[in-house]
Structure formats: structure tokens, C-alpha cells
Amino acid sequence: MTRGGSDKVRDEPERRCIVTGDVQPKAGLIRFVVSPDGQVVADLAGKLPGRGIWVTADRAAIQKAAAKGLFSRAAKAPVTVPADLADLVEAAVARRVVDLVSLARKAGRAVAGFEKVKGWLAEGRAKVLLQASDGSERGKGKLWTPEGGRWFGCLTSSELGLAFGRDSVIHGALAAGGLSARVVEEAAKLSGLRKDDGGRSAGKDTKSA
């Protein structure tokens, strides 16, 4: 309770990025730890033992941390950083997004295909719109970001297809609730790790929540 007698809103945990120095919610950061053999590894699930080293979920930030010796400075000890660390993190986050969308599909909270997605958008059922980064811009432009929802274009058509049990998918949508919040969190990280997602909203809506 606050002094005024109202319930205090629980703050989201925050951490400081070793590259930018900014303190921000953990949801926008990647946690790294140093393994027993002294190698820097990404702890995407947040469960590995050791002191966390936090970097903004951005490819350039991870590359700078590796190039400038910032991981060693944060660990206060010499560490080994994989040369392709940013690529490893990107691939792992992409896998998490695909897996989460797949779980949402199995729970009946995700659909794929232009007509089904358009139907969900029109009915207000969709909360997250997913569109393949390599899909036709003309086709993607015919759909719109859900009101009060989010749009992401960070997965390829083959990755979206994998999530929906198909060879290729261009359009997908998730309902509110369930795993949607986790998909949004991980997809936002992936957007920062990939160059080909301009962070733009799709179709008719030029803003995303």
C-alpha cells in the first residue's frame, strides 16, 4: 500500500544494459552468463546459474559488447565470446518465437492464411498480426494491425510455416490471452536482432501499440 492508501503497482524488474548504460525492463534485454569454462552464453530462459550480464536485444549492441570487451568488464574476469554470438542469439530467439506460436496454434489461439487472418481482424479476435518478412508487400498491405494490438514482420515464411505445421505461411494471427504476451515479448527481441524488420506496422494501420 502507498501512503495514500492505494495499492502500489508492482514495477516490472529492470536491469542495466552494459552497452548503453540504460536501465530498462528485463523484457527488452538479453541475459548472458559466463559458463564454468569461461564462455559467454545467452540465457534466454533466465534460468542458468551465475551473475546475469544484460544487453539490449539489439544486434548492434551485442556486437559492440563482444568487440569492445564489455562482457569481460562486466564479469570482472577474462571471458571467451563466440565470434558469431549475435547470430547464435538471433537463431535461438527465432526458435522461441516459432515454438510459442506453435503452442498457441495447438491451443486454438492462432490461425494462418489470408482469409482466416482477415476474418479474425474483422471480428476483433486477433491481438497479434504476424506477417512473413519475405512475403509480398502488396498482399501484406491488405491487412491491418489489430486495434490495441501488435504487428511483427520478423519471421520468414518458412519459419511461420514451421510454427503452423506447413511449408510456408505469409499471414498469421494470435488471439488475446494465452501465450500472446510471450510471443510479443520474444518477437520484439527478434525484431531488434534482425535487420529486415523495419519495425513498421502493416497495411491500413500505421501505428502499433
Side-chain angles (χ1 to χ4, degrees):
M1 299 286 284
T2 63
R3 289 183 179 179
S6 60
D7 291 333
K8 182 178 181 180
V9 177
R10 185 171 60 183
D11 294 330
E12 183 177 353
E14 296 181 328
R15 296 292 185 271
R16 184 182 300 277
C17 171
I18 65 169
V19 177
T20 66
D22 295 335
V23 175
Q24 58 180 296
K26 289 167 58 176
L29 299 157
I30 302 291
R31 182 179 190 262
F32 294 89
V33 296
V34 179
S35 67
D37 61 358
Q39 180 155 294
V40 172
V41 296
D43 177 26
L44 300 181
K47 296 181 179 179
L48 293 178
R51 179 176 177 271
I53 300 172
W54 300 84
V55 179
T56 300
D58 176 81
R59 171 172 286 271
I62 294 174
Q63 291 174 330
K64 183 175 181 179
K68 299 294 186 181
L70 302 184
F71 286 111
S72 293
R73 183 184 301 176
K76 299 180 180 179
V79 299
T80 300
V81 182
D84 57 348
L85 181 61
D87 291 333
L88 293 173
V89 174
E90 177 191 323
V93 174
R95 179 76 248 178
R96 286 173 68 84
V97 176
V98 169
D99 288 345
L100 287 169
V101 174
S102 179
L103 288 172
R105 171 183 63 84
K106 293 174 182 177
R109 305 190 71 84
V111 294
F114 182 85
E115 293 300 332
K116 288 184 178 179
V117 171
K118 185 177 180 181
W120 271 33
L121 288 169
E123 296 166 9
R125 294 180 62 187
K127 196 66 175 178
V128 181
L129 174 63
L130 302 169
Q131 293 185 302
S133 57
D134 53 346
S136 163
E137 292 301 321
R138 181 178 180 182
K140 292 190 294 184
K142 294 179 181 179
L143 299 177
W144 58 95
T145 301
E147 184 176 356
R150 297 292 297 270
W151 169 83
F152 292 101
C154 51
L155 291 176
T156 65
S157 57
S158 60
E159 288 170 333
L160 265 181
L162 187 62
F164 285 96
R166 304 179 186 180
D167 290 335
S168 177
V169 166
I170 303 299
H171 314 283
L174 278 66
L179 295 167
S180 293
R182 291 181 60 191
V183 172
V184 167
E185 182 177 315
E186 296 298 331
K189 291 179 181 178
L190 185 59
S191 295
L193 295 166
R194 289 191 161 170
K195 298 292 187 181
D196 54 2
D197 174 26
R200 295 172 290 103
S201 180
K204 305 172 186 177
D205 190 341
T206 58
K207 297 179 180 179
S208 60

